Amino acid sequence: MYPQVSINIKKLRNNLDAVAKTTKEHGKCSMMVVTKCVCADEEVVKMIAETPAVDFLADSRISNIASYADVAHKNGKKTVLLRIPMQSEIVEVAKYVDLCMISEIETIKLLNAEASKLGKKQDILLMIDMGDLREGIFFQNKDLIFEAVQQILALDNINLYGVGVNLTCYGAIIPKNENLSALVEIAREIEAKFGIKLEMISGGNSSSIYLIDKGELPDGINNLRLGESVLLGNDTAYSTRLPGTDADAFILKAEIVELKRKPSLPIGEVGVDAFGQKPYYEDRGLMDRAIIAIGKQDTDLDSMEPVDSRLEIMGGSSDHIIVDVTKAKGDYKVGDIIEFTLSYGGLLKCMTSKYVEKTYVK
Ligand SMILES: *Cc1c(COP(=O)(O)O)cnc(C)c1O
């Protein structure tokens, strides 16, 4: 069935090994592999769970974690919730999550109560915002950080496992030796002030790996949370390819349902398209226009690239994408399949769409 994402498990395993070599061997960091971008696909999760170098499986959605908590535990891995939890999901968090990234004391208290019911001690990672301005207690408000720690330490069923930072997300702030050193400093201050030991200082996502190669990851950072670097082989700080990785472990395949020679300029008054945008057209004369049966409901047009470099995506709507196949000079016909590599946004949407079939190369 099409559309389809073909997932090459061998290439993914190879990517994972390459990233683990850098992260674990050179960076001395434990590995949280992030499964949200593949919607916790069962086969991908299985491969990750069975890889010895992986320490944690992490996701932002509790339903994804619930789906694989057993598999993770059977393989000796812990589960991590990446998105700070909703109060309304706290029962599930206590049930399925081994390590919870969190930043609100009221939510931590609720988690404490749920953990108590289960007779468990819940590990948490207190998030510190080092300037990216998404989740975490703002790093300049040291008093608020210490106050939170004090309240956490008073809770019987919560264990402050460590602190973490997220960068290069909302504010697109790049991890550097300076901002990560400042995080380590905060962790050391917490340890000194409260006489405790923090097991983990989690230094960010795929955008932090480049620091290892440059020898600039500060001592003390001992964990990274890695999604895109494993799945697509990207260093996301400066958009470079990580050595030894492949970008094409995921291939999107869609079928041509119409192929006709038509003008490149629509005829009539131009209004707005199906998504309320005013389109821009370039007159390229007559064009071989292929319509493929996939649309914005299933993928992200800006995050997919035809494998055949003679092809170009012209645009699309909910259920259709139009591809200029003129340069392929008659090599395509109706019923043929066009293949695309995916970047982050496209991969996320394709893997989440129930309309996109998943197949595996093992
Ligand atoms: C998604 C996410 C990650 C993984 O990000 P990548 O860029 O895919 O490595 C790490 N941490 C948090 C908190 C996330 O939400």
Side-chain angles (χ1 to χ4, degrees), residues 31-38 40 45 48 54-61 64-65 68 72 77-83 99 101 223-227:
M31 289 254 294
M32 272 180 202
V33 178
V34 175
T35 53
K36 69 187 182 203
C37 197
V38 291
V45 162
I48 295 168
V54 176
D55 305 287
F56 302 84
L57 273 73
D59 206 293
S60 51
R61 309 283 168 147
N64 285 349
I65 295 175
Y68 65 60
K77 320 291 185 196
K78 290 184 171 173
T79 59
V80 182
L81 182 62
L82 295 170
R83 184 170 66 187
L99 177 60
M101 296 177 34
N223 169 267
L224 295 181
R225 312 178 303 269
L226 305 172

Short mmCIF file of all heavy atoms in Angstrom, two decimals, residues 31-38 40 45 48 54-61 64-65 68 72 77-83 99 101 223-227:
data_model
loop_
_atom_site.label_atom_id
_atom_site.label_comp_id
_atom_site.label_asym_id
_atom_site.label_seq_id
_atom_site.Cartn_x
_atom_site.Cartn_y
_atom_site.Cartn_z
N MET A 31 23.12 7.40 27.18
CA MET A 31 22.33 7.67 25.97
C MET A 31 20.84 7.49 26.24
O MET A 31 20.39 6.40 26.58
CB MET A 31 22.70 6.66 24.87
CG MET A 31 24.05 6.86 24.26
SD MET A 31 23.91 7.53 22.61
CE MET A 31 23.13 6.21 21.74
N MET A 32 20.10 8.58 26.05
CA MET A 32 18.65 8.47 25.98
C MET A 32 18.29 8.57 24.50
O MET A 32 18.56 9.59 23.87
CB MET A 32 18.00 9.67 26.67
CG MET A 32 17.77 9.50 28.13
SD MET A 32 17.02 10.99 28.78
CE MET A 32 17.48 10.81 30.49
N VAL A 33 17.71 7.51 23.97
CA VAL A 33 17.31 7.58 22.57
C VAL A 33 15.83 7.94 22.51
O VAL A 33 15.00 7.37 23.20
CB VAL A 33 17.63 6.28 21.82
CG1 VAL A 33 17.16 6.37 20.38
CG2 VAL A 33 19.14 6.02 21.85
N VAL A 34 15.56 8.96 21.69
CA VAL A 34 14.24 9.59 21.67
C VAL A 34 13.38 8.99 20.55
O VAL A 34 13.80 8.94 19.39
CB VAL A 34 14.41 11.11 21.49
CG1 VAL A 34 13.05 11.79 21.34
CG2 VAL A 34 15.17 11.68 22.69
N THR A 35 12.19 8.52 20.93
CA THR A 35 11.35 7.75 20.00
C THR A 35 10.15 8.54 19.46
O THR A 35 9.38 8.02 18.67
CB THR A 35 10.80 6.51 20.74
OG1 THR A 35 10.17 6.93 21.96
CG2 THR A 35 11.91 5.54 21.07
N LYS A 36 10.02 9.81 19.85
CA LYS A 36 8.79 10.53 19.48
C LYS A 36 8.69 10.78 17.98
O LYS A 36 7.60 10.81 17.42
CB LYS A 36 8.70 11.85 20.24
CG LYS A 36 9.73 12.88 19.83
CD LYS A 36 9.71 14.09 20.74
CE LYS A 36 10.72 15.12 20.27
NZ LYS A 36 11.15 16.02 21.34
N CYS A 37 9.82 10.97 17.32
CA CYS A 37 9.78 11.32 15.90
C CYS A 37 9.36 10.13 15.03
O CYS A 37 8.98 10.31 13.88
CB CYS A 37 11.14 11.85 15.47
SG CYS A 37 11.08 12.74 13.93
N VAL A 38 9.42 8.93 15.58
CA VAL A 38 8.92 7.76 14.83
C VAL A 38 7.63 7.23 15.47
O VAL A 38 7.23 6.11 15.20
CB VAL A 38 9.97 6.63 14.72
CG1 VAL A 38 11.11 7.06 13.83
CG2 VAL A 38 10.48 6.20 16.09
N ALA A 40 7.07 6.12 18.25
CA ALA A 40 7.37 4.87 18.98
C ALA A 40 7.07 3.63 18.14
O ALA A 40 6.54 2.64 18.65
CB ALA A 40 6.62 4.83 20.30
N VAL A 45 11.57 0.74 17.92
CA VAL A 45 11.74 0.66 19.37
C VAL A 45 12.44 -0.64 19.76
O VAL A 45 13.35 -0.65 20.60
CB VAL A 45 10.36 0.76 20.08
CG1 VAL A 45 10.44 0.25 21.51
CG2 VAL A 45 9.88 2.21 20.06
N ILE A 48 16.10 -0.32 19.08
CA ILE A 48 16.74 0.57 20.06
C ILE A 48 16.88 -0.14 21.40
O ILE A 48 17.94 -0.12 22.04
CB ILE A 48 15.93 1.88 20.22
CG1 ILE A 48 15.93 2.68 18.91
CG2 ILE A 48 16.51 2.74 21.35
CD1 ILE A 48 14.93 3.83 18.89
N VAL A 54 22.44 1.70 24.52
CA VAL A 54 21.33 2.57 24.91
C VAL A 54 21.00 2.36 26.38
O VAL A 54 20.89 1.23 26.85
CB VAL A 54 20.09 2.27 24.04
CG1 VAL A 54 18.89 3.10 24.49
CG2 VAL A 54 20.40 2.51 22.58
N ASP A 55 20.83 3.45 27.12
CA ASP A 55 20.49 3.36 28.54
C ASP A 55 19.03 3.66 28.83
O ASP A 55 18.44 3.11 29.74
CB ASP A 55 21.37 4.34 29.33
CG ASP A 55 22.84 4.11 29.07
OD1 ASP A 55 23.36 3.11 29.58
OD2 ASP A 55 23.46 4.91 28.34
N PHE A 56 18.45 4.58 28.06
CA PHE A 56 17.07 5.02 28.29
C PHE A 56 16.34 5.13 26.96
O PHE A 56 16.95 5.48 25.94
CB PHE A 56 17.04 6.42 28.92
CG PHE A 56 17.76 6.57 30.22
CD1 PHE A 56 19.14 6.83 30.23
CD2 PHE A 56 17.09 6.51 31.43
CE1 PHE A 56 19.83 7.00 31.42
CE2 PHE A 56 17.77 6.69 32.63
CZ PHE A 56 19.14 6.93 32.63
N LEU A 57 15.02 4.88 26.98
CA LEU A 57 14.16 5.20 25.85
C LEU A 57 13.26 6.35 26.28
O LEU A 57 12.60 6.26 27.32
CB LEU A 57 13.30 4.00 25.43
CG LEU A 57 13.95 3.04 24.42
CD1 LEU A 57 15.02 2.22 25.08
CD2 LEU A 57 12.91 2.14 23.77
N ALA A 58 13.26 7.41 25.48
CA ALA A 58 12.58 8.63 25.91
C ALA A 58 11.55 9.07 24.88
O ALA A 58 11.75 8.92 23.67
CB ALA A 58 13.61 9.75 26.11
N ASP A 59 10.45 9.61 25.38
CA ASP A 59 9.41 10.12 24.48
C ASP A 59 8.68 11.27 25.15
O ASP A 59 8.71 11.39 26.38
CB ASP A 59 8.43 9.00 24.12
CG ASP A 59 7.74 9.25 22.78
OD1 ASP A 59 6.95 10.20 22.69
OD2 ASP A 59 8.01 8.50 21.82
N SER A 60 8.03 12.09 24.34
CA SER A 60 7.28 13.21 24.88
C SER A 60 5.83 12.84 25.19
O SER A 60 5.14 13.56 25.89
CB SER A 60 7.31 14.38 23.90
OG SER A 60 6.93 13.90 22.62
N ARG A 61 5.39 11.70 24.63
CA ARG A 61 3.98 11.32 24.77
C ARG A 61 3.87 10.10 25.67
O ARG A 61 4.50 9.06 25.41
CB ARG A 61 3.38 10.97 23.40
CG ARG A 61 3.62 12.03 22.34
CD ARG A 61 2.69 13.20 22.53
NE ARG A 61 3.14 14.32 21.70
CZ ARG A 61 2.31 15.19 21.14
NH1 ARG A 61 1.01 15.08 21.30
NH2 ARG A 61 2.79 16.19 20.42
N ASN A 64 2.96 6.76 23.99
CA ASN A 64 4.08 6.06 23.36
C ASN A 64 4.88 5.28 24.40
O ASN A 64 5.25 4.12 24.18
CB ASN A 64 5.01 7.05 22.65
CG ASN A 64 4.42 7.56 21.34
OD1 ASN A 64 3.41 7.03 20.85
ND2 ASN A 64 5.03 8.58 20.76
N ILE A 65 5.14 5.91 25.53
CA ILE A 65 5.91 5.24 26.57
C ILE A 65 5.15 4.02 27.10
O ILE A 65 5.73 2.94 27.29
CB ILE A 65 6.26 6.22 27.71
CG1 ILE A 65 7.19 7.31 27.17
CG2 ILE A 65 6.90 5.49 28.89
CD1 ILE A 65 7.51 8.41 28.15
N TYR A 68 5.59 0.88 25.09
CA TYR A 68 6.85 0.10 25.06
C TYR A 68 7.54 -0.06 26.42
O TYR A 68 8.67 -0.57 26.47
CB TYR A 68 7.82 0.65 24.01
CG TYR A 68 8.38 2.04 24.20
CD1 TYR A 68 9.13 2.40 25.32
CD2 TYR A 68 8.23 3.00 23.20
CE1 TYR A 68 9.67 3.65 25.46
CE2 TYR A 68 8.77 4.28 23.33
CZ TYR A 68 9.49 4.60 24.45
OH TYR A 68 10.04 5.85 24.58
N ALA A 72 11.09 -2.04 26.98
CA ALA A 72 12.25 -1.35 27.51
C ALA A 72 12.76 -2.07 28.77
O ALA A 72 13.95 -2.38 28.88
CB ALA A 72 11.90 0.10 27.83
N LYS A 77 16.33 -1.34 30.03
CA LYS A 77 16.40 0.11 29.79
C LYS A 77 15.32 0.80 30.61
O LYS A 77 14.25 0.23 30.88
CB LYS A 77 16.15 0.46 28.32
CG LYS A 77 16.77 -0.47 27.32
CD LYS A 77 18.27 -0.38 27.27
CE LYS A 77 18.81 -1.26 26.14
NZ LYS A 77 20.23 -1.51 26.26
N LYS A 78 15.58 2.05 30.93
CA LYS A 78 14.60 2.85 31.65
C LYS A 78 13.83 3.74 30.68
O LYS A 78 14.34 4.11 29.62
CB LYS A 78 15.30 3.71 32.70
CG LYS A 78 15.84 2.88 33.85
CD LYS A 78 16.43 3.76 34.92
CE LYS A 78 16.77 2.95 36.15
NZ LYS A 78 17.49 3.74 37.15
N THR A 79 12.61 4.10 31.09
CA THR A 79 11.78 4.99 30.26
C THR A 79 11.85 6.42 30.81
O THR A 79 11.95 6.62 32.02
CB THR A 79 10.32 4.54 30.26
OG1 THR A 79 9.82 4.56 31.61
CG2 THR A 79 10.16 3.14 29.68
N VAL A 80 11.77 7.37 29.88
CA VAL A 80 11.87 8.78 30.26
C VAL A 80 10.75 9.57 29.58
O VAL A 80 10.52 9.40 28.38
CB VAL A 80 13.23 9.38 29.80
CG1 VAL A 80 13.34 10.84 30.22
CG2 VAL A 80 14.38 8.57 30.34
N LEU A 81 10.08 10.42 30.34
CA LEU A 81 9.12 11.34 29.75
C LEU A 81 9.80 12.68 29.53
O LEU A 81 10.28 13.32 30.47
CB LEU A 81 7.90 11.51 30.66
CG LEU A 81 6.80 12.43 30.12
CD1 LEU A 81 6.21 11.89 28.81
CD2 LEU A 81 5.69 12.65 31.15
N LEU A 82 9.86 13.10 28.26
CA LEU A 82 10.59 14.31 27.89
C LEU A 82 9.78 15.58 28.09
O LEU A 82 10.32 16.61 28.48
CB LEU A 82 10.98 14.25 26.41
CG LEU A 82 11.96 13.17 26.00
CD1 LEU A 82 12.03 13.12 24.48
CD2 LEU A 82 13.34 13.44 26.58
N ARG A 83 8.51 15.50 27.77
CA ARG A 83 7.70 16.71 27.94
C ARG A 83 7.26 16.79 29.39
O ARG A 83 6.79 15.81 29.96
CB ARG A 83 6.47 16.69 27.02
CG ARG A 83 5.67 17.99 27.12
CD ARG A 83 4.61 18.10 26.05
NE ARG A 83 3.57 17.10 26.22
CZ ARG A 83 2.59 16.91 25.32
NH1 ARG A 83 2.55 17.63 24.22
NH2 ARG A 83 1.68 15.99 25.53
N LEU A 99 11.90 7.90 34.70
CA LEU A 99 12.54 9.19 34.96
C LEU A 99 11.72 10.28 34.26
O LEU A 99 11.50 10.22 33.05
CB LEU A 99 13.98 9.18 34.41
CG LEU A 99 14.78 10.47 34.53
CD1 LEU A 99 14.92 10.92 35.98
CD2 LEU A 99 16.17 10.30 33.90
N MET A 101 11.07 14.25 33.36
CA MET A 101 11.58 15.62 33.29
C MET A 101 10.44 16.56 33.72
O MET A 101 9.33 16.44 33.21
CB MET A 101 12.07 15.92 31.87
CG MET A 101 13.24 15.02 31.54
SD MET A 101 13.93 15.13 29.87
CE MET A 101 13.75 16.82 29.47
N ASN A 223 24.86 13.03 30.28
CA ASN A 223 23.76 12.42 29.53
C ASN A 223 23.34 13.32 28.38
O ASN A 223 23.34 14.54 28.51
CB ASN A 223 22.54 12.21 30.45
CG ASN A 223 21.29 11.84 29.68
OD1 ASN A 223 20.49 12.69 29.31
ND2 ASN A 223 21.13 10.56 29.42
N LEU A 224 23.01 12.69 27.23
CA LEU A 224 22.37 13.42 26.13
C LEU A 224 21.12 12.67 25.70
O LEU A 224 21.04 11.45 25.82
CB LEU A 224 23.34 13.56 24.94
CG LEU A 224 24.60 14.41 25.15
CD1 LEU A 224 25.42 14.46 23.86
CD2 LEU A 224 24.28 15.82 25.63
N ARG A 225 20.16 13.42 25.17
CA ARG A 225 18.89 12.86 24.71
C ARG A 225 18.85 13.00 23.19
O ARG A 225 18.82 14.12 22.67
CB ARG A 225 17.74 13.62 25.37
CG ARG A 225 17.92 13.77 26.88
CD ARG A 225 16.79 14.55 27.51
NE ARG A 225 16.62 15.87 26.93
CZ ARG A 225 17.20 16.98 27.38
NH1 ARG A 225 18.00 16.94 28.43
NH2 ARG A 225 16.98 18.13 26.80
N LEU A 226 18.87 11.87 22.49
CA LEU A 226 19.17 11.93 21.07
C LEU A 226 18.08 11.33 20.20
O LEU A 226 17.78 10.14 20.29
CB LEU A 226 20.50 11.21 20.83
CG LEU A 226 21.66 11.75 21.68
CD1 LEU A 226 22.88 10.88 21.54
CD2 LEU A 226 21.97 13.20 21.31
N GLY A 227 17.50 12.16 19.35
CA GLY A 227 16.49 11.70 18.41
C GLY A 227 16.98 11.85 16.98
O GLY A 227 17.41 10.89 16.33
#
